[in-house]
Amino acid sequence: MILLTAFEPFGGESVNPAELAVRSLEESSIRTLILPVEYGRAARMAADEIRRLQPHAVICTGQAGGRKGITPEKYAFNLRSSSSPDNAGKICLDDPVLSGGPEKLESRFGAEAIAKAIQRKGIPAYVSESAGRFVCNDVMYSVLYELKDTSVPAGFIHVPFCTEQAARHPDAFAMSVGDISKGLLAAVEHIKTAFGLDL
Ligand code: PCA
């Protein structure tokens, strides 16, 4: 079974496109978990669920408004640093995710191959070199660290604003939730094939 995570809305948005897309993909071999946009707490919830479910693969997702496609992330960094508060009101500047942890951790599923699999469905996608320094990066780093001594493929995929958010962001790229779901499903299918997962 594959664990697919997303986040609740944040930053004044009423929806999170990753949450809408992930919820639409729920089925027997895909378990979903919607995380709070909070440093530390979201990462702990993801790690707890991984220990409980022992999934064959973990795909974490979140919104990256302003991006022009679906963006598999290559690296997570050991840094929390954003002027934006998380949903609990906490602001972190230059704090580590994990004291003494490695500076960065690389996605355990090839970001390039995931981007190509999504593009093959006719959906814009490209690799991102960094998951940012906010809560998505916190979760990506923590999940990769949790799984570092296993062979479980894991990583993070950011999605752009969805069309429901376009009125608030008239100049930003937006994609339908249907296409975001299709893109994430292409990622799931690619990971199943590439890692020979029999779910
Ligand atoms: N995106 C934010 C946090 C939650 C989400 O969906 C981020 O990129 O860090």
Side-chain angles (χ1 to χ4, degrees):
M1 158 255 307
I2 291 185
L3 174 64
L4 206 50
T5 78
F7 284 95
E8 63 189 11
F10 69 104
E13 300 295 324
S14 54
V15 297
N16 189 319
E19 176 181 6
L20 300 180
V22 158
R23 284 195 190 282
S24 79
L25 295 178
E26 226 157 61
E27 45 110 326
S28 57
S29 67
I30 300 180
R31 299 288 176 84
T32 65
L33 175 68
I34 307 304
L35 298 168
V37 181
E38 290 178 36
Y39 290 111
R41 192 156 88 92
R44 280 194 298 278
M45 283 174 65
D48 285 349
E49 195 71 341
I50 289 168
R51 285 179 208 145
R52 193 174 74 83
L53 293 176
Q54 303 280 316
H56 296 87
V58 182
I59 307 173
C60 302
T61 72
Q63 165 194 308
R67 297 234 179 122
K68 295 182 168 58
I70 297 179
T71 46
E73 297 293 346
K74 197 156 180 192
Y75 295 109
F77 292 83
N78 190 11
L79 202 56
R80 298 172 170 173
S81 203
S82 171
S83 53
S84 305
D86 72 4
N87 281 1
K90 186 171 178 188
I91 293 180
C92 290
L93 293 170
D94 287 329
D95 290 340
V97 174
L98 177 70
S99 298
E103 182 201 343
K104 64 179 179 180
L105 293 169
E106 188 169 356
S107 172
R108 299 168 60 94
F109 46 66
E112 195 64 56
I114 300 279
K116 288 210 173 94
I118 298 171
Q119 287 163 3
R120 277 199 293 275
K121 301 285 175 191
I123 294 165
Y126 56 96
V127 172
S128 161
E129 296 287 324
S130 151
R133 303 291 185 268
F134 193 46
V135 182
C136 289
N137 176 71
D138 206 59
V139 165
M140 180 176 174
Y141 186 93
S142 305
V143 165
L144 292 174
Y145 192 81
E146 170 73 21
L147 293 169
K148 68 178 173 22
D149 297 326
T150 74
S151 58
V152 177
F156 199 100
I157 303 177
H158 263 121
V159 307
F161 284 134
C162 62
T163 43
E164 285 78 353
Q165 297 170 289
R168 282 192 85 214
H169 307 280
D171 298 326
F173 177 88
M175 199 183 266
S176 71
V177 173
D179 276 356
I180 295 173
S181 304
K182 239 198 260 175
L184 293 181
L185 191 58
V188 168
E189 293 304 330
H190 168 81
I191 288 166
K192 275 194 205 166
T193 312
F195 293 89
L197 305 183
D198 185 15
L199 308 176

